[in-house]
Amino acid sequence: MGANDFVTIFFLVAAVLIFFQLRSVLGRRTGNEKPPRDLYGSADPANGPTPPDAGKVVTLPRRDTTEEEDRFAAIDTFTPAGTPLNESLREVSKADPAFNPKEFVNGARMAYEMIVMAFADGDRKSLKGLLSREVYDGFDAAIADREAKGEKVKSTFVGIDKADILSAEMKGTESFITMRLVSQMISATYDKAGALIDGDAEAVAEISDLWTFARDTRSRDPNWKLVATESEQ
């Protein structure tokens, strides 16, 4: 028997032994095997296919009414529920979720002082950002008339006694709020020669105005503008 034949028989015997060893291991169940994974779900015909992630819970986002309820609660605190003003403010809040009546009044008080003092000083730049085009044109004409006559106005803003919302309404996407503003001011107008022609340089006068502010609820600009003025006196 040649050397090559001997090597061939050796590998043949080794292959047979390895085969029997593998057979003794492969295909035997120990009882600890994991069930085969069904990548396509259960094939139970009674219940139909079961998705692989059937045991997982997926929570879909739901509309939370808490924010709207909080906004309405702020309005109910500001003015009694069921009143016409309350209902109209709710309509404004629906169109403008950021609207809060208390914050609006605080902003209107600041705007009132800024507008009154800007008008007295002839500050057109400040007025332009606070007034609608129509109201600005009226203020600008009054300032121009004063300038043409050489008149000067000296005013001191003392404070605001009352700032009340009288009415609110929606016109399309625009919201309108009318307020009564009662303030205390010292105001005097002098001619070009320096003589007092109107007001009093020392007396505090009470001024009552009805002002209407408006804002387009679709606008990214959160600021309201003065769109109408009327004096109660």
Side-chain angles (χ1 to χ4, degrees):
M1 180 180 295
N4 292 336
D5 294 334
F6 178 77
V7 172
T8 301
I9 294 172
F10 173 80
F11 280 110
L12 179 61
V13 173
V16 171
L17 292 174
I18 293 172
F19 170 77
F20 280 105
Q21 287 178 352
L22 290 175
R23 185 180 179 186
S24 66
V25 176
L26 296 177
R28 294 177 57 187
R29 294 184 178 272
T30 64
N32 297 321
E33 293 84 356
K34 294 182 180 180
R37 182 181 179 187
D38 185 357
L39 298 178
Y40 300 97
S42 172
D44 185 353
N47 299 322
T50 302
D53 295 331
K56 298 181 181 179
V57 178
V58 179
T59 303
L60 297 177
R62 296 180 302 172
R63 182 178 180 182
D64 189 357
T65 59
T66 303
E67 184 179 351
E68 185 176 80
E69 291 173 353
D70 289 344
R71 296 202 311 270
F72 288 169
I75 293 173
D76 293 345
T77 302
F78 183 81
T79 186
T83 60
L85 179 58
N86 182 284
E87 294 299 326
S88 58
L89 289 176
R90 285 187 176 217
E91 291 302 312
V92 173
S93 178
K94 289 177 183 177
D96 182 5
F99 174 77
N100 180 292
K102 185 176 180 180
E103 294 176 0
F104 172 84
V105 170
N106 291 336
R109 293 170 68 99
M110 291 188 290
Y112 181 84
E113 180 179 355
M114 292 174 63
I115 292 171
V116 168
M117 295 308 298
F119 175 70
D121 296 338
D123 184 358
R124 291 179 172 86
K125 184 178 180 180
S126 295
L127 290 173
K128 210 161 197 177
L130 298 167
L131 312 178
S132 69
R133 180 59 182 271
E134 293 76 10
V135 175
Y136 174 79
D137 288 344
F139 277 45
D140 177 57
I143 293 172
D145 183 62
R146 273 195 335 236
E147 292 172 341
K149 296 177 180 178
E151 298 175 351
K152 298 290 184 181
V153 176
K154 293 184 179 180
S155 296
T156 300
F157 191 87
V158 179
I160 297 176
D161 293 336
K162 294 181 181 179
D164 302 320
I165 295 179
L166 299 182
S167 64
E169 65 176 325
M170 290 295 304
K171 293 182 179 179
T173 61
E174 283 194 289
S175 51
F176 294 82
I177 295 181
T178 298
M179 298 189 65
R180 175 185 288 117
L181 294 144
V182 180
S183 63
Q184 302 287 336
M185 288 189 61
I186 299 174
S187 183
T189 303
Y190 301 87
D191 64 15
K192 60 182 179 180
L196 179 67
I197 58 175
D198 188 34
D200 193 315
E202 297 181 358
V204 177
E206 181 179 276
I207 302 173
S208 183
D209 289 314
L210 298 179
W211 282 17
T212 300
F213 296 89
R215 177 180 177 273
D216 189 338
T217 57
R218 297 174 303 178
S219 173
R220 294 184 179 180
D221 184 356
N223 296 319
W224 294 68
K225 290 191 175 183
L226 180 63
V227 298
T229 63
E230 181 181 349
S231 176
E232 284 196 318
Q233 295 178 343

